Amino acid sequence: MEELKRLEKFQSVVSSITCHGLLSSSSSSTSESASSSRFISNLVLFLVQPCGELDLESKLGLVSEFLPKISGPFLEKISTSLELDDEATTPVNTISESQKSFVKRSVMDNVVPYMSQKHQDVVAMVGLDSIKRANSTLEDFSRSYFMFHRLDINEPQSIFRYLPVLSFTESYIYQMDALNEKIVSESACGSQVIYSSHGWNAESRVLFETEPLKPLGDLLEREGLLTERIQQEFKSGEEYWALERKLCHALSNKNKICLEDVMRAIHLKSFDYRVLNLLLYKLRGEEVNELHMDFLSVSEFLVEVADDLFDYEDDVLENNFNVLRMFVGIFGSSNAPTELAKRISEAEEKYEEIMKSLDPHLSSNYQRRCEEATKEGGKISGHSLGTWNIPAVISDEEAYRAAQR
């Protein structure tokens, strides 16, 4: 994915700057240090880009000659001029052709393309790879949730009428989730780029301090689709990503893990399904059915646990959030399966209790869907009440990773 490649380049530059001691943060606040690091890193990336026949020495000579001639008032004048030009020629929430060209050419804007810049509107963008990889989630959502909206999955009109918005939304969320998992994964390798002694450093801050889901929210708002509930779920997503980074980093460093954080994270993890479901209510112009939302919330928890059990070994290798990994870290390898089984049993009791309040036909259809998903297996595996297979736990994750290399 292009965004990941750009992030890798950015991380490499920041690491080099840090290793060579080119940027001092001793007298700066944390946020100022992060901004300074981002600015210098972008500048370095810009300088190394090809530009006609100029070599690196020629570029450095030009910069050394030109910088002393630049003053604050001069830059303010340029800034004001650009703002006036934008107001005169650019409609609200759009980008002019010249701006598009600049965004396409400038490395400084391409490093993190979904971030807000001072003279550039925030634009939510997704890559083709994200669209492809989000497809399985969309299929599962359609087959599992459309029935709660009285939509027939076998009718193409039911799918394609809402597909553009649902597909773009899930693809954007998936893209952000992939970037977060990359940060988490690199922390397991002891990467100094991702974590410093004070937590996560400049470029990981750059990614997530600017509200990663805000561009998507702005787009939905322009389409008249953003609701308070959807905004709340966006906050849930950002909280989940923060917890994933925190918990996986703690586990990798054998630090104490809080059970409340783990249970909070596993409940937040399906926020994308709730966003899609709330969007479908809004697209159809219907009020949210709270009974259905409560039931699906419990079901989402059980599905997430089932997925984590299925992906356990892979998640250990990649240092991804996994509820069984976390329980091993909290309760130890011998007690973790029993403690997790208790939580599963509690959720199943709640699931069966709420299901009694559902329409019998809907309840039957959903149970059939869960059975289908369980047989199909894989990442979209459903849960089958009373039927759970907790894999053998890995007590020494470092040894396990080393053996798999």
Side-chain angles (χ1 to χ4, degrees):
M1 206 164 66
E2 290 185 7
E3 287 76 13
L4 293 179
K5 292 179 181 178
R6 290 174 185 137
L7 177 59
E8 288 172 355
K9 291 180 181 178
F10 188 73
Q11 291 172 342
S12 177
V13 172
V14 174
S15 181
S16 296
I17 289 174
T18 303
C19 290
H20 286 80
L22 299 180
L23 187 64
S24 173
S25 59
S26 58
S27 60
S28 303
S29 65
T30 303
S31 59
E32 184 179 346
S33 176
S35 298
S36 299
S37 179
R38 182 175 65 188
F39 176 78
I40 296 299
S41 299
N42 282 331
L43 178 60
V44 171
L45 281 170
F46 179 72
L47 287 173
V48 299
Q49 294 303 303
C51 184
E53 298 181 357
L54 292 177
D55 57 20
L56 294 177
E57 290 298 327
S58 299
K59 292 176 185 177
L60 288 174
L62 285 171
V63 170
S64 299
E65 179 184 353
F66 186 62
L67 280 180
K69 301 177 183 179
I70 300 178
S71 64
F74 172 77
L75 293 178
E76 286 294 334
K77 183 177 180 181
I78 296 296
S79 176
T80 302
S81 176
L82 289 173
E83 288 176 349
L84 290 174
D85 287 344
D86 288 345
E87 291 174 2
T89 62
T90 307
V92 176
N93 293 328
T94 63
I95 301 179
S96 67
E97 290 303 316
S98 61
Q99 285 176 306
K100 288 179 182 178
S101 176
F102 178 75
V103 171
K104 201 177 295 182
R105 289 194 308 266
S106 173
V107 175
M108 298 178 75
D109 285 332
N110 279 337
V111 173
V112 187
Y114 47 82
M115 289 180 60
S116 172
Q117 301 293 337
K118 185 175 180 180
H119 302 299
Q120 176 186 326
D121 290 334
V122 180
V123 179
M125 297 182 288
V126 297
L128 179 60
D129 183 64
S130 296
I131 296 174
K132 289 179 178 178
R133 299 181 72 176
N135 209 43
S136 61
T137 299
L138 287 168
E139 179 186 344
D140 179 52
F141 175 80
S142 300
R143 294 170 67 185
S144 303
Y145 285 64
F146 270 34
M147 65 181 74
F148 289 88
H149 297 265
R150 303 180 303 282
L151 295 173
D152 188 348
I153 189 64
N154 295 310
E155 292 183 2
Q157 299 92 329
S158 297
I159 299 176
F160 288 98
R161 181 182 304 169
Y162 309 113
L163 184 61
V165 172
L166 298 179
S167 178
F168 187 92
T169 298
E170 179 59 28
S171 300
Y172 185 93
I173 292 175
Y174 184 93
Q175 195 163 261
M176 298 300 100
D177 188 67
L179 288 170
N180 192 55
E181 284 191 352
K182 180 174 178 62
I183 290 177
V184 173
S185 178
E186 291 195 10
S187 75
C189 303
S191 172
Q192 294 181 352
V193 175
I194 299 304
Y195 289 100
S196 66
S197 59
H198 301 290
W200 30 299
N201 71 353
E203 66 276 14
S204 51
R205 287 184 189 278
V206 168
L207 280 173
F208 296 100
E209 72 184 356
T210 54
E211 300 178 275
L213 292 172
K214 187 177 185 302
L216 177 60
D218 290 342
L219 176 65
L220 294 177
E221 185 174 24
R222 290 195 294 271
E223 296 294 321
L225 298 172
L226 187 65
T227 66
E228 288 187 11
R229 291 281 289 271
I230 292 175
Q231 287 178 307
Q232 289 173 4
E233 290 302 333
F234 282 170
K235 292 185 183 301
S236 294
E238 293 173 3
E239 183 183 353
Y240 168 70
W241 289 329
L243 281 171
E244 182 178 29
R245 294 191 298 272
K246 172 185 174 181
L247 291 167
C248 292
H249 180 53
L251 193 64
S252 296
N253 289 274
K254 296 181 173 58
N255 295 331
K256 184 179 179 181
I257 296 173
C258 176
L259 178 60
E260 288 75 14
D261 283 346
V262 173
M263 298 306 295
R264 175 70 175 163
I266 194 68
H267 280 96
L268 293 173
K269 195 174 181 181
S270 291
F271 81 94
D272 58 330
Y273 275 78
R274 291 188 288 275
V275 167
L276 296 178
N277 201 21
L278 291 168
L279 269 177
L280 199 49
Y281 279 115
K282 184 66 176 177
L283 285 165
R284 301 183 67 245
E286 293 193 356
E287 293 294 322
V288 176
N289 187 312
E290 299 299 342
L291 174 63
H292 291 174
M293 292 294 290
D294 289 343
F295 171 75
L296 289 169
S297 177
V298 181
S299 178
E300 287 158 2
F301 169 80
L302 291 169
V303 171
E304 288 294 354
V305 173
D307 284 345
D308 278 6
L309 296 180
F310 184 88
D311 293 335
Y312 176 60
E313 291 84 1
D314 290 338
D315 285 340
V316 170
L317 288 174
E318 299 296 327
N319 191 35
N320 291 333
F321 173 84
N322 183 290
V323 68
L324 181 55
R325 284 189 70 209
M326 300 301 149
F327 270 56
V328 172
I330 296 171
F331 299 106
S333 56
S334 59
N335 295 324
T338 303
E339 291 294 334
L340 181 57
K342 289 180 183 177
R343 274 70 181 184
I344 292 173
S345 297
E346 292 170 359
E348 284 189 328
E349 290 177 6
K350 187 175 182 180
Y351 176 91
E352 290 180 309
E353 184 64 29
I354 301 178
M355 179 173 277
K356 295 175 184 177
S357 302
L358 296 181
D359 175 81
H361 181 66
L362 176 61
S363 173
S364 176
N365 285 341
Y366 190 74
Q367 285 180 293
R368 190 181 306 115
R369 168 56 191 155
C370 287
E371 291 170 2
E372 290 174 355
T374 301
K375 291 177 182 178
E376 293 167 2
K379 186 62 180 174
I380 59 171
S381 63
H383 60 89
S384 182
L385 292 180
T387 306
W388 295 86
N389 179 25
I390 298 180
V393 300
I394 300 169
S395 56
D396 190 339
E397 292 191 349
E398 290 182 7
Y400 180 80
R401 293 190 191 102
Q404 300 300 316
R405 293 193 183 106

